[in-house]
Amino acid sequence: MKTLEIQGKVTRVGRITSVESRSYRYVKRLFDIMLSFILLLLFAPVILFVYQKIKSQEGKPVFYQELRTGMNDQSFIMYTFRTTTIPSRVIHGLPPYPFPSSWQYGVPNEFTYIPNPTVTLTSTGIWLKKHKLDKLPLLLHVLKGDMSFIGPEAELHEITRFYNVYQKQRLKIRPGITGVVQLADKQKLSYKQQLEMDLNYIKYRSWKKDVKILARTIRKLL
C-alpha cells in the first residue's frame, strides 16, 4: 500500500491574487490545443508502437489509470503507459487509509508521498522510463483540456480532497506536464515548499516564465 509520512504543521495563510491577463489564458489554451494536436500527429507511430509492444510483451492493461485532480477541483482519470507488473499495479493503486486526524486542517507541510516499495518495473517499462515515453498519453489530456503543458503537477485525488482553502488555490489552473516543481529535485523539497513554488507560478505566470520553463524542460529531455 502507499505509505504516508507526516510531520510538522499545516500551511494556512492568505489567498493569492494572479496578475495574469485574460488574453494570456486564451492564447495559452490555444497554444496547448495546437501544439498537443501537432505532437499527437507526429508521435502517432510511436504511440501505436508502444501500445503494441506493451500489449504483446506484457499483456493488458496497456494503460495505467490514476484518479487525479485538475482545475477547479475537477477530478479526471489520468492515463499513462503501464510500466509495472499487473500485481504491483494493483497493490500500488490501493488507497492509503486510514489518514491521521491531523489532516482535518489540510495536508501537513512536511508530508511525503512514498510509492509502493515493492513495485516492479517490466522490461518494457524500464525502456519507457529511460526514454520518457510512458507519459506520451498526457498529450491527449492537454488536447482535451484536462491538463496544460505548463502548470502544477496533477496531484492524486486522495491527497487533494484533504486540501484546506489556501492549498486549494493550487487548483486554480490546469495541471501541467511540466512546471517549476516538476523540474526541481522534489526529494529535497517539503510539500510546503512545492506548494509555495506552484502558487508563486500561478500568481506571476506569464509567457516569459512559460518560455523559460519550456526551454529548461527541453534541455532536461535532451
Side-chain angles (χ1 to χ4, degrees), residues 1 66 73 77 98 135 140 146 157 171 180 202 206 213:
M1 296 179 64
E66 208 165 32
D73 207 11
I77 302 295
K135 296 182 186 283
L140 184 59
D146 296 328
H157 181 70
L171 309 175
V180 289
I202 293 172
S206 65
I213 291 172

Side-chain angles (χ1 to χ4, degrees), residues 6-10 99-109 162:
I6 302 109
Q7 300 174 4
K9 300 180 179 179
V10 172
F99 279 94
S101 59
S102 61
W103 282 57
Q104 63 183 311
Y105 300 112
V107 180
N109 293 341
F162 288 93

Side-chain angles (χ1 to χ4, degrees), residues 67-80:
L67 186 62
R68 299 278 178 149
T69 305
M71 184 172 66
N72 297 326
D73 207 11
Q74 297 296 310
S75 59
F76 67 98
I77 302 295
M78 190 175 80
Y79 290 85
T80 53

Side-chain angles (χ1 to χ4, degrees), residues 115-131:
N116 173 28
T118 63
V119 69
T120 304
L121 289 173
T122 62
S123 57
T124 305
I126 294 172
W127 177 76
L128 289 173
K129 291 282 189 181
K130 178 181 178 181
H131 298 285

Side-chain angles (χ1 to χ4, degrees), residues 15-74:
R15 291 178 176 272
I16 62 168
T17 303
S18 175
V19 296
E20 69 165 356
S21 65
R22 181 178 297 180
S23 61
Y24 166 83
R25 295 199 301 270
Y26 292 138
V27 175
K28 183 176 181 179
R29 179 62 192 137
L30 181 62
F31 171 82
D32 283 342
I33 293 173
M34 293 177 63
L35 184 58
S36 60
F37 181 74
I38 292 171
L39 290 177
L40 280 168
L41 288 178
L42 290 175
F43 283 102
V46 179
I47 293 173
L48 289 174
F49 171 76
V50 173
Y51 181 92
Q52 290 297 330
K53 184 178 177 65
I54 296 175
K55 184 179 178 181
S56 61
Q57 295 189 10
E58 317 296 348
K60 292 184 177 182
V62 174
F63 297 101
Y64 177 68
Q65 305 175 39
E66 208 165 32
L67 186 62
R68 299 278 178 149
T69 305
M71 184 172 66
N72 297 326
D73 207 11
Q74 297 296 310

Side-chain angles (χ1 to χ4, degrees), residues 13 42 109 118 141 159 199 210:
V13 294
L42 290 175
N109 293 341
T118 63
H141 287 296
I159 296 173
L199 294 184
D210 288 350

Side-chain angles (χ1 to χ4, degrees), residues 148-166:
S148 175
F149 278 103
I150 301 172
E153 189 170 6
E155 186 61 277
L156 290 165
H157 181 70
E158 296 165 352
I159 296 173
T160 59
R161 67 191 185 92
F162 288 93
Y163 273 6
N164 57 37
V165 174
Y166 174 69

